[in-house]
Amino acid sequence: MSEARLLLVEDEPDQRSLLADLLAAEGYSVAAASSLAEARAELARAPVDLVLSDWRLPDGEGGELLAEIRRDRPETAFVMVTAYGTIARAVEAIRAGADDYLAKPFERSALLLALERTLKHRALERENRDLARELGLRDRLVDLVGGSAAMRRLYDRVERLAGTRATILLTGESGTGKELAARALHQLSPRRDRPFVAVNCAAIPEGLIESEFFGVERGAYTGADRSRPGRFVAADSGTLFLDEVGELPLTIQPKLLRALQEGRVTRVGTSEEVEVDVRVVAATNRDLAAEVAQGRFREDLYYRLNVVALGLPPLRERREDVPMLAAHFAARAARRHGVPEVEIPPAVMRRLIEHAWPGNVRELAHAVERLVLLAEGGKARIEDLPEELHPGAARPASEGIFRLPAGGISFEAHERDLLRQALELAGGNRARAARLLDLPYKAFLYRLEKHRL
Ligand SMILES: Nc1ncnc2c1ncn2[C@@H]1O[C@H](COP(=O)(O)OP(=O)(O)OP(=O)(O)O)[C@@H](O)[C@H]1O
Ligand SMILES: [Mg+2]
C-alpha cells in the first residue's frame, strides 16, 4: 500500500500539516489541498488513488467533491471526514459512494486502518475486474444485464463506439434493449453530463414533427402559441436518440437528412439557422433495408443513419441470460413494490428459460414482476406464470394447426424440419427440444439419429 498517492483536503492549516506528515511517515505520497478549488486543481494535475476529505470546506462541502469524483474518476477511493456528532453526514457520504468515513476526532490507528482497508478493497476490486475482462466474463454494461457471448460482443462494441461521434443505428426486435443500449452509448461517452434527448418518431403526428425536431417560432402556424427550441437544440452537445426511426414519414426525411449532414437546423417560422452539435443514435425494429427497397424509407437517410449498425439479439437466441435477467428483475420488482425478495425455484426458472419470449426482455420483466407480486412464502410459483408458460399450455392448440396441402407432403422431410426447428428454438438443448415436440427424450434422440441431425 505504501506507494499509494493520497489527496488530503482539509482547510485547517495545523490539522493539514499534522496529517500530511503522519501519512508521509507511513510511506504514502501525499498531496494537500485546503479547499474544493484546490482539490480540483490538484486532481487535474495528477490522479490519486484515494481522497481523504473534510466535509466542511470554505468553498463548499466534501459531498460535492465526492459526487464529481464518482462521476469522473470512479476508480478513485474516497474517505470522508465528518465533524463529531454529524453521523447523518457520514451516512449521506456512504450513500453517495464514499468508501468509508471517519468521525472527528479520530485516532491515528483508526485513520490508518480506514485507509489501508479502503485501498486494499479497491485493489481487490480492480484485480477482479481485470480478471473478468481478461476472461471475457463481463455480464453487464451500464443498465444492460446478461453475460451471453452475444451480449458481451455488444458491450465491447458499445464501449468502443461510445467515445466517437459516429451515428449508430440500433436494430432488434421489440423489447430487446435498444433504448438501454442508446443510453449506455451516452453514459459511456464524453457527453454523459450533457442532455440525452429521446424522441419517439412514431408518437408525433406528422404535421408536428418538423417543429418538434427543429423548434418553432411563436405564431408560425395556428396553434403555435409559444416559441419552442425543438429537440435538436435541446440535445445540443449531448445525444439525440431517434427511436422508431423507421416510422418517420417520407415527407420529413429530407429535412432530417439535411440537419444531420449540416449540423444546422431552421426553426419553423424563421429563416435563421442555428448550429447544433448532436450525436445521433437511432433505433428501429423494422428491417430498414427492406423499407428502402419498398420505397418507404429514403436510401440517402438510411445510409446516413446506418454508419454503424448494432444488433440487439432476441432473448430466445441467448437463453443463458434468462436466469440472470430474472434475478435482476425479481430484485428490482421487490424494491419497487416494497415487498420481500422472492426466490425463483428451478422448476419455474426452467419454464422461463424454455419460453420463446416474443416480447423479449420486456416480456420477461413483466412476467417476473408478476411472479414477485403474487408469490407466497418468498417463492415464485408456476401457477403465477402467464397462461402461455403453463406446462402443456401450448399443446392443445397444436392439433389441427398444420393443414395438409391438397397435393400432400413428404412426411419424412416434414419430420426432419420439425426436429431441426425444435433444436433451433431450444438453442441446441436436446432435452428442451424434445419437450417442445412433446416427445419422450429417447424417442426424440431416436428420430434425430434417423435423420442424422
Ligand atoms: N439486457 C437488458 N438488461 C436489463 N434490462 C433490459 C435488458 N434489455 C431490455 N431490458 C428492459 O426491457 C425493457 C425494454 O427495453 P428497451 O425499452 O430498451 O427495448 P427496445 O428494444 O427499445 O424495445 P421497443 O422496440 O419495443 O421500443 C426495459 O424495461 C428495459 O429496462
Ligand atoms: Mg424502445
Side-chain angles (χ1 to χ4, degrees):
M1 295 293 128
S2 52
E3 292 130 54
R5 237 180 85 78
L6 306 191
L7 172 63
L8 168 67
V9 193
E10 163 66 65
D11 58 327
E12 223 278 293
D14 291 345
Q15 284 259 3
R16 189 169 63 243
S17 64
L18 189 81
L19 281 171
D21 290 348
L22 188 160
L23 294 169
E26 287 297 321
Y28 290 114
S29 135
V30 187
S34 66
S35 63
L36 288 180
E38 275 186 35
R40 288 184 188 116
E42 197 57 48
L43 286 168
R45 209 172 54 75
V48 301
D49 301 302
L50 186 148
V51 175
L52 175 69
S53 173
D54 212 9
W55 180 277
R56 267 185 44 180
L57 293 164
D59 52 349
E61 290 176 339
E64 291 173 48
L65 187 59
L66 172 58
E68 288 164 18
I69 286 182
R70 280 297 154 267
R71 192 190 61 207
D72 300 333
R73 313 163 189 275
E75 335 69 47
T76 306
F78 198 106
V79 176
M80 188 71 88
V81 179
T82 59
Y84 173 74
T86 55
I87 193 75
R89 289 262 182 283
V91 173
E92 199 180 313
I94 295 290
R95 281 225 181 98
D99 296 78
D100 206 348
Y101 71 90
L102 284 163
K104 272 183 183 171
F106 47 79
E107 303 268 336
R108 176 175 172 277
S109 59
L111 168 67
L112 295 179
L113 183 67
L115 297 183
E116 207 170 297
R117 203 170 44 198
T118 298
L119 287 168
K120 193 179 270 173
H121 181 84
R122 285 285 176 158
L124 264 179
E125 251 185 24
R126 200 162 44 237
E127 263 171 46
N128 283 341
R129 224 182 9 249
D130 291 351
L131 193 65
R133 186 162 299 197
E134 228 167 85
L135 295 171
L137 293 181
R138 208 151 32 133
D139 55 17
R140 52 182 65 214
L141 185 76
V142 190
D143 289 327
L144 288 162
V145 173
S148 59
M151 288 305 281
R152 289 207 308 264
R153 263 196 307 277
L154 179 81
Y155 301 159
D156 282 347
R157 300 188 69 191
V158 165
E159 248 182 356
R160 243 176 303 136
L161 292 163
T164 73
R165 277 204 61 199
T167 303
I168 292 178
L169 181 64
L170 297 165
T171 60
E173 293 177 12
S174 181
T176 45
K178 295 185 293 295
E179 176 150 3
L180 287 190
R183 288 180 187 276
L185 281 164
H186 177 72
Q187 278 305 314
L188 298 172
S189 81
R191 295 168 178 253
R192 67 181 151 262
D193 296 324
R194 310 295 306 163
F196 175 89
V197 176
V199 193
N200 184 343
C201 300
I204 312 170
E206 181 165 354
L208 294 181
I209 292 187
E210 194 177 350
S211 49
E212 273 297 319
F213 275 15
F214 307 129
V216 60
E217 196 67 18
R218 185 178 158 190
Y221 53 81
T222 358
D225 47 3
R226 59 194 176 91
S227 296
R228 266 179 295 128
R231 307 294 181 97
F232 268 79
V233 170
D236 195 18
S237 73
T239 304
L240 181 66
F241 176 45
L242 299 175
D243 202 3
E244 310 214 33
V245 75
E247 313 298 318
L248 214 56
L250 273 168
T251 51
I252 193 80
Q253 291 182 15
K255 287 179 179 148
L256 175 61
L257 178 65
R258 224 187 114 238
L260 294 178
Q261 269 166 350
E262 293 171 13
R264 264 172 295 176
V265 297
T266 312
R267 261 191 200 202
V268 177
T270 68
S271 54
E272 167 202 348
E273 292 196 320
V274 194
E275 210 157 298
V276 286
D277 162 28
V278 295
R279 198 276 174 85
V280 173
V281 178
T284 180
N285 50 27
R286 295 200 180 193
D287 178 353
L288 273 195
E291 300 285 303
V292 169
Q294 286 165 22
R296 283 200 296 263
F297 202 87
R298 283 181 67 109
E299 189 170 23
D300 46 9
L301 180 59
Y302 171 63
Y303 286 124
R304 182 64 190 73
L305 293 174
N306 193 23
V307 177
V308 184
L310 282 185
L312 278 289
L315 187 55
R316 66 182 170 280
E317 285 175 13
R318 49 184 171 103
R319 291 173 197 265
E320 61 271 43
D321 285 342
V322 169
M324 184 184 251
L325 283 165
H328 168 73
F329 292 129
R332 187 176 81 179
R335 250 188 342 264
R336 267 193 193 161
H337 299 289
V339 298
E341 299 251 333
V342 167
E343 181 205 334
I344 303 176
V348 179
M349 191 64 91
R350 239 181 344 261
R351 299 240 71 95
L352 296 179
I353 295 171
E354 281 166 3
H355 190 56
W357 300 112
N360 293 294
V361 184
R362 179 184 289 115
E363 189 189 0
L364 173 67
H366 287 153
V368 170
E369 181 170 22
R370 193 182 132 115
L371 287 178
V372 168
L373 288 171
L374 299 175
E376 267 178 23
K379 280 198 163 88
R381 305 179 304 177
I382 289 221
E383 59 264 43
D384 297 331
L385 287 169
E387 276 306 281
E388 63 276 17
L389 272 83
H390 286 183
R395 223 65 72 185
S398 63
E399 204 158 308
I401 56 171
F402 175 73
R403 309 294 314 170
L404 190 62
I409 57 156
S410 152
F411 182 77
E412 290 290 320
H414 190 58
E415 181 177 73
R416 186 171 206 282
D417 188 43
L418 285 175
L419 293 167
R420 211 185 34 73
Q421 285 193 44
L423 278 170
E424 204 175 287
L425 209 57
N429 180 324
R430 294 197 274 185
R432 213 183 286 146
R435 276 198 293 277
L436 282 174
L437 297 174
D438 203 15
L439 283 173
Y441 188 53
K442 278 213 170 125
F444 179 74
L445 290 185
Y446 164 78
R447 286 178 159 84
L448 285 187
E449 182 83 355
K450 185 174 95 180
H451 289 283
R452 304 191 189 289
L453 279 169

